[in-house]
Each structure stands twice: as C-alpha cells, then as structure tokens.
C-alpha cells in the first residue's frame, strides 16, 4: 500500500509555509511548470489522508542536506540522464544514489540536487494532496500527486473527471472523511481487474 507523504512534509502556500496536516482544499501551493518556473497550483482534494497512521517511507537526502520522506510507490521528478533539460517521473523506490531531484533553494532559485542517501523510516501521518497541475513542491522538492503508477501523464489524465467535478461544484471538501478518496478506490479496483501484464504498464 502507498502512504504518500508524512504529516511533517511542508509546502509553500500563499499564506506562507505550512505542513500537509495544516492545508485545506482551496489553498494555493507552490509548484514548477514545464519550464521549471515557479507557479501556484490549487489544492482541490485529498487522494489519501490518515493523520494518525504510522507508515513506512523512504528518507531521501540530497547534496546540501535537504531531505524528503516519501512512500516508495509515489512519483517524483528527476533530471533525465539523457537530456539534462528534461525531467522524468519515477517512483521513489526506483531512485538510486546520484539521481538528481528538482529543488527550490532558500533564495527560491531552482537547483538540481544529487541524491546522497536513501534510507527507510517510519513516520506518522499519510497525506496525498491532489492539485490541479498534478504536482507540488514538498519540502521544496518537485513531486507528483500520484502513486502506484509509472506514467505521470496517464495518471493526471484519468484524474481529469475529478478535477472537472471539483471545479464545477461549490461543495467544500475540507471535511471529507479520512482514508483513500472514493474516486481513487474505484480506479484501484479497475486496475486490479486488468491482466497482470497490463497492470505493470499503468
């Protein structure tokens, strides 16, 4: 099972830096666009949220000491080894020492930091915010909103109906019950019904 991010993970909002357990649907949080420029993206619902859950994560540390904790099946972005001007999404469990992650420095400039350490840790809370862009900066690292799928573009596409529904309704999502979002659960059941060879492709 994928637990995404611990509660201590921070994001930059228009109201300042907040932990994931402090943000609410409707908040705007910082991310990067396709040109690695900073922009705001709207956080619209939780893909997964369980505040008291104790879960396993990978603590990834880069040159300079910055770190992020993330579940092994969750996507984040690395510099493409064949084209340093491009980024690719990889599951955290597939990362290796030397991979370069996109990171925002204290001066808010975009840097590429090489991984120096990957160790398993157990932490409290499980949070997976969904944003309109499908990305956000967690602990100042560029990460995706999606897990358990190898293809970021595909994952973002299948969430389009949920994004449309959220934009079309005035219903507040802040009090949604804890756990995995019903839309996510439905997608997981559909994926499990596919042949095993197909599941590895999505």
């Amino acid at each position: 099972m994928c637990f995404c991010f611990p509660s201590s993970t921070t994001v930059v909002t228009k109201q300042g830096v907040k932990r994931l357990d402090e943000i609410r649907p409707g908040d705007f949080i910082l991310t990067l666009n396709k040109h690695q420029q900073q922009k705001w993206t709207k956080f619209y619902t939780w893909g997964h949220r369980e505040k008291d859950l104790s879960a396993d994560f990978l603590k990834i540390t880069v040159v300079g000491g910055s770190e992020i904790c993330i579940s092994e099946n969750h996507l984040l972005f690395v510099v493409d080894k064949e084209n340093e001007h491009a980024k690719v999404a990889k599951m955290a469990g597939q990362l290796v020492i030397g991979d370069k992650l996109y990171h925002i420095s204290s001066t808010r400039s975009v840097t590429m930091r090489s991984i120096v350490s990957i160790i398993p840790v157990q932490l409290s809370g499980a949070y997976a915010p969904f944003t309109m862009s499908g990305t956000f900066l967690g602990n100042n690292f560029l990460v995706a909103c999606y897990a358990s799928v190898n293809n970021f573009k595909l994952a973002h596409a299948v969430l389009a109906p949920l994004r449309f529904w959220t934009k079309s309704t005035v219903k507040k999502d802040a009090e949604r019950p804890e756990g995995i979002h019903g839309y996510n659960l439905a997608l997981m059941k559909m994926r499990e019904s596919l042949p095993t060879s197909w599941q590895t492709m999505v």
Side-chain angles (χ1 to χ4, degrees):
M1 183 175 181
C2 180
F3 302 111
C4 307
F5 302 94
S7 58
S8 58
T9 305
T10 59
V11 295
V12 178
T13 75
K14 288 188 174 182
Q15 291 74 43
V17 177
K18 294 184 180 182
R19 290 164 45 113
L20 286 184
D21 56 6
E22 297 174 327
I23 63 173
R24 297 292 181 269
D27 286 349
F28 284 85
I29 59 181
L30 203 61
T31 188
L32 300 179
N33 64 19
K34 63 181 180 181
H35 303 296
Q36 279 60 265
Q37 298 170 327
Q38 296 174 54
K39 74 169 189 175
W40 295 109
T41 184
K42 185 178 180 180
F43 159 48
Y44 66 93
T45 194
W46 293 108
H48 187 191
R49 179 174 65 99
E50 293 186 65
K51 63 182 181 180
D52 295 324
L53 182 68
S54 181
D56 295 322
F57 298 93
L58 296 177
K59 183 169 76 171
I60 300 169
T61 306
V62 298
V63 171
S66 296
E67 60 188 40
I68 185 169
C69 294
I70 183 173
S71 56
E72 64 178 7
N73 289 337
H74 203 94
L75 292 175
L76 72 171
F77 294 93
V78 303
V79 178
D80 190 337
K81 293 181 179 179
E82 297 181 359
N83 179 5
E84 62 179 14
H85 300 294
K87 61 178 180 282
V88 294
K90 290 178 68 173
M91 288 187 183
Q94 298 173 332
L95 298 176
V96 296
I97 303 300
D99 279 344
K100 294 181 179 180
L101 305 182
Y102 290 86
H103 182 265
I104 298 294
S105 70
S106 58
T107 60
R108 296 294 178 213
S109 60
V110 180
T111 62
M112 282 78 82
R113 303 283 185 91
S114 295
I115 296 173
V116 296
S117 173
I118 304 174
I119 61 172
V121 294
Q122 189 170 68
L123 297 168
S124 126
Y127 291 81
F130 281 171
T131 69
M132 288 297 178
S133 67
T135 65
F136 65 97
L137 290 168
N139 280 17
N140 292 324
F141 290 92
L142 182 63
V143 300
C145 296
Y146 313 125
S148 301
V149 60
N150 284 310
N151 190 318
F152 169 78
K153 290 183 178 179
L154 176 61
H156 193 56
V158 298
L159 266 293
L162 184 59
R163 290 194 298 277
F164 177 78
W165 168 255
T166 304
K167 291 171 70 173
S168 303
T169 179
V170 295
K171 180 181 178 181
K172 299 296 183 181
D173 208 20
E175 302 305 320
R176 178 176 294 278
E178 289 192 21
I180 299 174
H181 195 291
Y183 190 91
N184 265 16
L185 288 173
L187 290 176
M188 290 165 63
K189 289 181 180 179
M190 290 175 61
R191 185 172 183 266
E192 290 170 358
S193 69
L194 297 173
T196 302
S197 58
W198 288 21
Q199 291 183 33
T200 59
M201 298 170 62
V202 299

